[in-house]
Amino acid sequence: MVVAQTAVCAETGNYAVFLTLLVKAGGEAVIRRAAAALPSLTRTIADQVGEPELVSAFGIGADVWESVTGCAKPEGLEPFKALADGPRVAPSTPADLFVHIHSPRQDANLVLARELMRLLGDGATLVEEVMSYKHLGGRDLTGFVDGTENPEGEERAEVALVADGPHAGGSFVSLQRYVHDLARWEALPLPEQEGCIGRTKADDEELDDDVKPPTAHIARVVIEEDGEELEVVRHSLPYGGVGERGLYFVAYCADPAVFRRMLENMVMTDHEGHHDRLLDFTKPVTGASFFTPSATFLEGLA
């Protein structure tokens, strides 16, 4: 039986550690051993620190997939492609590997992250480490509830995981780190903020269609195809303190084209001249894509 990596479909924890790394020349064998050890290592540390909800996922990028795994790439795995339209830019930034760890405790997350980095040793270089947290019960730093329509329960696996074939139980994952301009955002009157999002701030109710602007965030990213809404499983969390602050956006999906369509609808101006107005107040500064194979696949790399 194929088993998915534990972080992919688990409900998002209160705290997370996100790591992106580059593989060093000749480091593939070290990476392979560390990746194979991660599922067991996660269980061991969960027992050691007394945190049963500690979970993890390890993603591998297109450029190093074959050299690290020795297998053909999953169909659809490609490097993140940058997008730009006027002042809105969704950049592509260097990253070969992605590590996602979350639980109700940041100390448990860091114990696992440090031990994994020890195993990775000289095989990889750390590009970025972001520690994120749940804010006000699940709100973004803009004050709005984040991920209201995120799939729940068994639907998470249906949305996130490849159903069959050699890469069954795996998931395509895309990430972007957003930096918010909270000073400009907080200067907006409440009705304008709600128009940017498409939902009410206090009680998270969707605005009526005759009130919701076509530039509202949810108007841009809620896409229906053949009567079905396209979905991703989000593990996004705020990060930062009194200085730079924003959202670390993570989307898992069985089909990478779904996230891409959402991003294009946000960044690119449509034929009526509309784009996602939320991007006037926040900007992505990173962008990378990976495939998180099943835990069964990872452990088979040993």
Side-chain angles (χ1 to χ4, degrees), residues 256-274:
V258 173
F259 165 75
R260 192 68 187 178
R261 285 188 60 182
M262 293 177 177
L263 183 61
E264 288 173 351
N265 277 11
M266 291 174 64
V267 174
M268 307 305 290
T269 304
D270 66 18
H271 64 282
E272 296 179 335
H274 302 138

Side-chain angles (χ1 to χ4, degrees), residues 21 30-31 34-35 58 97 99 115-124:
L21 307 100
V30 175
I31 302 301
F58 191 95
L97 308 172
V99 178
E115 184 59 22
L116 177 61
M117 288 300 297
R118 185 187 69 79
L119 294 180
L120 290 169
D122 292 331

Side-chain angles (χ1 to χ4, degrees), residues 8-71:
V8 176
C9 296
E11 297 295 333
T12 303
N14 289 338
Y15 300 96
V17 174
F18 300 110
L19 309 175
T20 50
L21 307 100
L22 290 172
V23 175
K24 291 184 178 180
E28 290 83 0
V30 175
I31 302 301
R32 188 159 50 247
R33 289 192 296 269
L38 181 58
S40 176
L41 178 65
T42 303
R43 294 190 294 269
T44 297
I45 290 180
D47 288 341
Q48 288 176 351
V49 302
E51 182 44 74
E53 295 182 48
L54 178 67
V55 293
S56 65
F58 191 95
I60 304 169
D63 291 341
V64 299
W65 174 273
E66 293 179 359
S67 62
V68 168
T69 68
C71 301

Side-chain angles (χ1 to χ4, degrees), residues 152-236:
E152 298 180 349
E154 294 180 358
E155 188 184 2
R156 291 173 77 81
E158 295 173 4
V159 170
L161 302 181
V162 175
D164 49 35
H167 298 291
S171 184
F172 293 90
V173 57
S174 298
L175 65 86
Q176 295 178 288
R177 181 168 64 84
Y178 282 80
V179 177
H180 294 345
D181 187 341
L182 289 179
R184 287 186 63 233
W185 174 259
E186 290 166 355
L188 281 182
L190 178 60
E192 287 194 46
Q193 290 186 2
E194 293 180 336
C196 285
I197 301 296
R199 307 187 76 91
T200 60
K201 193 171 190 177
D203 51 13
D204 193 35
E205 293 292 330
E206 185 172 350
L207 300 181
D208 292 338
D209 287 343
D210 59 350
V211 176
K212 182 172 55 188
T215 55
H217 177 64
I218 65 170
R220 306 300 298 170
V221 300
V222 175
I223 304 169
E224 288 194 1
E225 189 172 87
D226 299 326
E228 296 286 334
E229 183 178 330
L230 302 183
E231 295 182 289
V232 299
V233 171
R234 295 176 48 145
H235 280 284
S236 306

